[in-house]
């Protein structure tokens, strides 16, 4: 039964274009590389003659996102979403072409990854959740979830297609395909759908004067609780995402099952993003966040206690993906509700930048643990402990009621 126009909330009647544009842009942006890089590990290792731990160190060069997030977040407050997204996406696509054409050593990959980390922020939640938080109030969680669904949909479709490209041609063709997706799908979506103006401070098209630089949020207890929670969460999950395909293969399964596991991971993300956003709107956000943050621990337990079982491996991947999907909802929602939206890019950019400490620890740690022990089990056990800490920290964040929002710093 079709919904009548009156049944559609006002926010969505006027904001669906914003959600759709940001969803497509996020799905075809740097997340496409990050979510599927594990598929490149084996062919890169063979072609460049390096270990998985070495490639984990290469992935850790994406730590430049820690610098890029606050810089590009502030630029978004000043210049607007469209300008920042277009510029960053075009440069990132050019880097993909350079990788495909010229990368021949681990040093080339490291330098390229560093550049992708800094500039790729322009196609992430740091930039693309800003117009969502500016436009939506009552249905903010759902809108953030719908926006993030773009990453999940693309991530469910991409692994089998990307595996076919890798098998048919090479890993170089894989990078070319990822770059083409951002240029020929993401950029047109933003150009056609995202308005060039919006609510004051939205930063959609920088039609409004930007808020002056203000660092008072760095003295806020809640900012640091969110930051430490994100660091511990990233420490637990970033290494798993980066090594998920070989991790599944080490369960005694082949590459096709590993590619399917990535699709199941993306399916879990889809549920986590859509369901997480809805839950944040309907129930106490801290309790919802606590439960969702603990979810990957069950996935790790399944991987630790089973071997060679396709259903178990796929279920574990889906459960880990559930939390990864909700992560964007949780932190974008908390920043948008707790702090001033006019400074959203600056604050969320700083949060994400500091959160990359955990990403780098996970990226380096999981590969090195495998090199040292010949198994991912110790890394998975450490991940469970980190998730427990992350969940407890998010419970301690103070969220103002909507009426109190104007007084939040």
């Amino acid at each position: 039964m079709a919904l009548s126009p009156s049944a559609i909330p006002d926010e969505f009647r006027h904001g669906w274009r914003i959600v759709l544009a940001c969803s497509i842009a996020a799905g075809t942006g740097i997340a496409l590389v990050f979510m599927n890089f594990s598929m490149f590990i084996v062919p890169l290792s063979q072609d460049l003659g390096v270990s998985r731990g070495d490639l984990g160190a290469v992935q850790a060069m994406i730590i430049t996102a820690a610098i890029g997030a606050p810089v590009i977040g502030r630029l978004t407050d000043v210049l607007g979403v469209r300008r920042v997204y277009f510029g960053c996406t075009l440069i990132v696509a050019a880097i993909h072409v350079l990788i495909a054409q010229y990368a021949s050593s681990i040093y080339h990959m490291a330098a390229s990854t560093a550049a992708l980390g800094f500039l790729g922020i322009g196609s992430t939640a740091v930039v693309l959740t800003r117009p969502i938080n500016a436009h939506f109030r009552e249905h903010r969680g759902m809108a953030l979830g719908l926006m993030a669904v773009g990453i999940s949909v693309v991530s469910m479709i991409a692994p089998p297609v990307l595996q076919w490209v890798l098998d048919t041609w090479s890993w170089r063709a894989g990078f070319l395909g990822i770059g083409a997706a951002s240029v020929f799908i993401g950029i047109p979506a933003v150009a056609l759908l995202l308005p060039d103006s919006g609510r004051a401070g939205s930063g959609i098209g920088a039609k409004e004067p930007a808020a002056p630089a203000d660092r008072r949020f760095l003295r806020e207890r809640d900012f640091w609780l969110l930051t430490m929670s994100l660091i511990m969460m990233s420490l637990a999950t970033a290494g798993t995402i980066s090594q998920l395909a070989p991790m599944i293969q080490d369960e005694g399964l082949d590459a096709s099952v590993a590619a399917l596991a990535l699709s199941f991971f993306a399916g879990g993300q889809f549920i986590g993003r859509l369901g997480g956003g809805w839950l944040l709107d309907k129930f106490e956000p801290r309790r919802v966040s606590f439960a969702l943050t603990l979810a990957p621990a069950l996935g790790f337990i399944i991987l630790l206690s089973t071997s060679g079982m396709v259903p178990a491996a796929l279920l574990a991947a889906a459960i880990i993906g559930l939390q990864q999907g909700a992560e964007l909802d949780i932190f974008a929602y908390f920043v948008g509700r707790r702090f001033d939206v006019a400074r959203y890019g600056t604050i969320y950019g700083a949060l994400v930048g500091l959160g990359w400490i955990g990403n780098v620890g996970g990226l380096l740690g999981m590969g090195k643990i495998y090199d040292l022990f010949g198994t991912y089990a110790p890394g998975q056990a450490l991940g469970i402990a980190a998730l427990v800490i992350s969940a407890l920290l998010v419970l301690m964040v103070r969220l103002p009621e909507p009426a109190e929002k104007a007084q939040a710093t």
Side-chain angles (χ1 to χ4, degrees), residues 8-23 131-132 134-136 143-144 146-147 193-195 199 204:
I8 301 174
D10 285 340
E11 288 183 328
F12 280 102
R13 279 207 298 271
H14 300 292
W16 69 268
R17 291 165 59 92
I18 296 173
V19 173
L20 182 58
C22 293
S23 180
I132 303 290
H135 181 82
F136 290 89
L144 287 168
L146 287 169
M147 189 222 87
L193 294 172
L194 190 65
R199 287 184 178 177
I204 294 172

Side-chain angles (χ1 to χ4, degrees), residues 36-46 52 55 159 163 166-167 240-262 303 306-310 312-314 316-317 370 374-376 380:
N36 295 289
F37 191 85
S38 64
M39 298 179 68
F40 290 84
I41 288 178
V42 173
L44 277 172
S45 177
Q46 295 170 346
R52 295 181 189 180
L55 288 172
Q163 188 64 52
L166 296 177
D167 292 340
T240 301
I241 297 170
S242 70
Q243 302 274 337
L244 186 57
M247 189 179 291
I248 296 298
Q249 288 176 267
D250 281 5
E251 293 285 308
L253 305 170
D254 61 27
S256 63
V257 175
L260 184 59
L262 292 178
L303 290 175
T306 62
S307 181
M309 299 174 60
V310 174
L314 297 180
Y370 178 86
T375 175
Y376 291 108
Q380 293 162 349

Side-chain angles (χ1 to χ4, degrees), residues 251-275:
E251 293 285 308
L253 305 170
D254 61 27
S256 63
V257 175
L260 184 59
L262 292 178
S263 292
F264 270 73
F265 174 87
Q269 281 186 315
F270 182 94
I271 296 171
R273 282 168 176 155
L274 202 56

